[in-house]
Amino acid sequence: MEVWSGETLTFNLSPVPSMAHRLLKISSLATAVFGCSGFYLYNKQLDLNDLSVVRFGRAAATTAFISYDYLTAFKHVEYGTEEYWTLKSKVHRRSAERLRDLCCANRGTFIKLGQHLGALDYLLPEEYTSTLKVLHSRAPQSSMEEIRQVIREDLGKELSELFVSFEENPQGAASLAQVHKAVLHDGRTVAVKVQHPKVQRQSSKDIMTMEVLMRAVHWLFPDFAFMWLVEESKKNMPLELDFLNEGRNAERVANMLAHFPFLKIPMIHWDLSTKRILTMEFAEGGQVNDRDYMKKHGINVNEISENLGKLYSEMIFVHGFVHCDPHPGNVLIHKSEQSKKTEIVLLDHGLYQVLQPDFRLNYCRLWQALINSDMPEVERYSRKLGAGDLYPLFSCMLTARSWTSVTTGISSVPVTHAEDIEIQTNVSMYLPQISELLNRVPRQMLLLLKTNDLLRSIETTLQTRASSSSFINVSRCCIRAVARHKQSKARSKRRHLQIKLEESLSLWRLSMYELILWVKSSMLVHWLTALLTFVQ
């Protein structure tokens, strides 16, 4: 019995040194692997930010912190009280700052998404948009060696073989690329847009990360329904990363809008362009939101705002081919010293929206109804565009006006600061409905909403939002677009002529209305009114 017990004891104890030996081997092997990996990474000077696990971990941690903050911050505060709204503003601000820091750390696609969010002034709380707007000036910058390497790989030559001079400091750095000024051997000055070398490789993984985390947030907060952001990024990012596509878009819109003498699209140098490099004519000017630059160069801000409205109304309503990234860095203003004419220089043609004919026509009809305060037609065409019972909210989002102004007449009721404050205050209150609406409408509508917001942001900065000229430009383009549609369906010359006469009459009436508005606002009328008052 004792012998059996001893044998048992020996049997039970004998594996211990064996297990210890195995653990020692495993730990030694792990140490060796980590040591070699560390030595390899050190020698390769690999940035930890390039590792997907690091980028995902950082994004997941930020998402967790923000979600926890929203879940716990309001537990002991009564909804609707002044304390609740003050606290909610603070939580919004904290969360926006965390999101901004994440975008700056992960760069690339994250900065692009953050810039998109920062432009949604009428869809997101002010704390988010004001905090994320700084991302336009926080874009990453590639080293000169990285730029040389991309040019060497794509064009097969050294910088000195391609350019007489190449400025090392970029003219501007964006989330996906940076632009350098250079001089060709024939003496022409060009702008060379070079993609950040890591963006192409990281973008698909980053979008997958965003999708996973947004689904998690949606699971925690059912009212959060911003999955459309990820869907749009998945569709648009490959297009924005293909600079040959950008060059083709630039040429197409230059030909399409050649009748606008104030528009300048830089010419593309195809022999020096690839998917990651775009070489174009160098264009100078100040940003469209720089009022000081315009004042210094004697540029009329009302003229710029009106011409910008003409440009985008033509793209949206008449052609259905829309430049969807008109943030201030992509729209320059330049006054020629020789001709004294002011030009709008449109840059960054990577992202365009092609509107389907039926969608574009319904959108035209809706805007005509909004301008004419035709509420039954507003409801009808809003429903056709997918808004359903949320058509009042949809109308307010499109026009950035209150429902009272929409029903009264957006072309007759001037924009006031109080109305803007009212809209911003109501955004957080209607966020679930806004999210639901954005998931209902066609995907084409999302980029149009973004474009509308960016243009309104420019108008607000230039202090031209109260101008009625923008509605007149929209009306003129809608009339032309609807007439074109009718003519495409007409089967007889008589019907064609009738449509043309109706179009001409409508445009003439609009011109007369515009003339009346101009006369009313002219100095001559003010002088005559003052004179009559004095005489009386």
Side-chain angles (χ1 to χ4, degrees):
M1 187 71 179
E2 288 179 0
V3 172
W4 184 85
S5 176
E7 287 175 352
T8 304
L9 183 63
T10 304
F11 178 76
N12 288 336
L13 291 176
S14 61
V16 175
S18 175
M19 182 64 75
H21 184 63
R22 287 178 188 172
L23 286 172
L24 183 61
K25 278 186 175 180
I26 292 170
S27 61
S28 300
L29 182 62
T31 303
V33 168
F34 280 116
C36 291
S37 300
F39 183 71
Y40 174 80
L41 294 177
Y42 175 79
N43 282 330
K44 288 287 184 182
Q45 295 183 330
L46 184 68
D47 186 352
L48 288 176
N49 193 57
D50 295 343
L51 299 177
S52 298
V53 66
V54 173
R55 300 169 68 78
F56 179 85
R58 191 183 285 136
T62 302
T63 304
F65 277 122
I66 291 174
S67 300
Y68 182 78
D69 204 357
Y70 277 104
L71 282 169
T72 59
F74 308 101
K75 281 186 175 179
H76 306 294
V77 181
E78 185 181 347
Y79 176 81
T81 61
E82 186 176 342
E83 183 185 0
Y84 174 86
W85 294 115
T86 303
L87 179 59
K88 191 165 190 177
S89 177
K90 288 179 180 177
V91 174
H92 282 335
R93 184 74 63 186
R94 284 199 300 264
S95 302
E97 288 170 355
R98 285 171 177 147
L99 192 56
R100 177 202 62 203
D101 294 342
L102 168 65
C103 293
C104 290
N106 276 4
R107 299 174 301 197
T109 310
F110 280 84
I111 284 188
K112 192 72 180 176
L113 184 69
Q115 289 172 343
H116 188 163
L117 290 170
L120 301 178
D121 293 276
Y122 301 95
L123 303 182
L124 292 178
E126 185 275 336
E127 293 86 353
Y128 275 91
T129 55
S130 62
T131 303
L132 295 175
K133 271 185 183 0
V134 302
L135 290 174
H136 284 293
S137 59
R138 295 277 189 92
Q141 188 172 318
S142 295
S143 68
M144 197 57 211
E145 185 49 47
E146 288 175 317
I147 297 298
R148 284 195 185 93
Q149 184 62 28
V150 172
I151 290 174
R152 195 181 296 126
E153 289 173 1
D154 284 31
L155 296 176
K157 292 183 179 180
E158 297 295 333
L159 276 180
S160 57
E161 298 177 76
L162 299 168
F163 308 102
V164 173
S165 67
F166 190 95
E167 291 187 4
E168 294 196 1
N169 291 327
Q171 294 285 308
S175 55
L176 306 181
Q178 61 193 54
V179 179
H180 291 262
K181 187 178 181 181
V183 178
L184 299 175
H185 286 285
D186 62 9
R188 287 179 293 176
T189 305
V190 293
V192 186
K193 183 176 179 179
V194 185
Q195 195 172 112
H196 298 309
K198 300 167 187 175
V199 169
Q200 192 85 242
R201 186 176 68 253
Q202 293 171 343
S203 63
S204 58
K205 295 174 184 175
D206 286 346
I207 291 171
M208 192 183 300
T209 294
M210 293 174 193
E211 185 172 14
V212 168
L213 295 176
M214 283 227 184
R215 288 191 186 282
V217 171
H218 180 55
W219 179 76
L220 279 173
F221 304 95
D223 287 341
F224 180 89
F226 277 76
M227 289 305 298
W228 57 273
L229 277 172
V230 178
E231 290 171 19
E232 287 303 298
S233 296
K234 284 166 72 175
K235 184 180 76 174
N236 295 322
M237 192 56 64
L239 297 174
E240 292 192 77
L241 291 172
D242 182 359
F243 289 174
L244 293 177
N245 174 66
E246 179 177 344
R248 288 190 292 269
N249 287 343
E251 288 197 342
R252 178 177 173 180
V253 81
N255 293 328
M256 188 177 83
L257 302 177
H259 57 284
F260 286 133
F262 57 80
L263 176 63
K264 171 76 173 176
I265 306 289
M267 185 186 74
I268 306 298
H269 292 265
W270 289 108
D271 57 324
L272 295 173
S273 298
T274 68
K275 280 195 170 187
R276 295 194 297 170
I277 300 168
L278 188 65
T279 305
M280 69 202 97
E281 176 186 1
F282 185 80
E284 293 183 300
Q287 291 192 2
V288 70
N289 62 344
D290 190 343
R291 284 181 62 88
D292 292 335
Y293 174 88
M294 295 192 203
K295 185 178 180 181
K296 180 181 176 182
H297 291 83
I299 296 171
N300 186 333
V301 293
N302 290 310
E303 180 188 339
I304 295 301
S305 183
E306 184 176 348
N307 286 342
L308 202 57
K310 285 180 182 177
L311 196 62
Y312 273 88
S313 294
E314 184 93 6
M315 282 193 274
I316 292 169
F317 300 107
V318 180
H319 299 284
F321 187 65
V322 191
H323 179 280
C324 284
D325 202 10
H327 74 74
N330 290 339
V331 185
L332 303 183
I333 307 301
H334 176 252
K335 190 170 187 177
S336 172
E337 293 182 2
Q338 287 78 29
S339 65
K340 301 301 179 185
K341 290 183 179 178
T342 303
E343 293 178 329
I344 293 176
V345 184
L346 200 57
L347 305 174
D348 197 347
H349 300 272
L351 186 57
Y352 271 77
Q353 180 72 291
V354 180
L355 306 181
Q356 297 302 316
D358 288 344
F359 172 88
R360 181 167 56 86
L361 187 66
N362 287 332
Y363 193 58
C364 281
R365 300 277 197 190
L366 173 58
W367 267 102
Q368 285 183 309
L370 286 166
I371 292 168
N372 296 328
S373 304
D374 187 341
M375 289 302 108
E377 289 291 276
V378 167
E379 180 179 355
R380 178 187 174 190
Y381 287 105
S382 293
R383 289 183 182 278
K384 280 194 172 188
L385 290 169
D389 294 334
L390 294 174
Y391 72 90
L393 177 61
F394 185 50
S395 302
C396 294
M397 285 169 62
L398 278 179
T399 58
R401 304 295 301 271
S402 67
W403 181 240
T404 303
S405 296
V406 170
T407 53
T408 306
I410 55 175
S411 57
S412 57
V413 179
V415 180
T416 63
H417 180 65
E419 185 180 6
D420 282 341
I421 295 296
E422 178 190 344
I423 291 169
Q424 289 177 355
T425 303
N426 288 338
V427 163
S428 57
M429 194 182 304
Y430 292 105
L431 196 55
Q433 290 89 340
I434 291 172
S435 300
E436 182 186 346
L437 182 60
L438 292 175
N439 278 283
R440 276 189 194 182
V441 296
R443 300 298 94 186
Q444 298 173 86
M445 182 59 70
L446 300 178
L447 282 179
L448 283 186
L449 287 168
K450 174 191 172 185
T451 305
N452 283 349
D453 286 335
L454 286 167
L455 290 173
R456 285 198 199 96
S457 178
I458 291 170
E459 287 180 347
T460 301
T461 305
L462 297 181
Q463 299 175 8
T464 57
R465 275 199 69 210
S467 172
S468 60
S469 63
S470 59
F471 295 118
I472 291 170
N473 291 325
V474 169
S475 295
R476 189 173 280 118
C477 287
C478 286
I479 290 168
R480 288 169 54 205
V482 171
R484 280 190 184 187
H485 173 74
K486 287 180 178 178
Q487 284 182 329
S488 69
K489 303 291 184 183
R491 293 290 177 266
S492 66
K493 287 185 178 180
R494 182 182 175 184
R495 178 60 181 150
H496 270 280
L497 181 60
Q498 182 185 357
I499 294 165
K500 190 65 183 173
L501 288 173
E502 288 174 355
E503 178 189 4
S504 299
L505 182 60
S506 296
L507 290 173
W508 179 80
R509 284 174 178 163
L510 198 60
S511 296
M512 289 300 99
Y513 176 65
E514 190 174 22
L515 179 63
I516 290 167
L517 288 179
W518 178 80
V519 170
K520 280 184 176 180
S521 62
S522 68
M523 290 300 296
L524 179 62
V525 171
H526 290 303
W527 289 340
L528 287 173
T529 304
L531 181 62
L532 287 172
T533 304
F534 176 74
V535 170
Q536 287 174 356

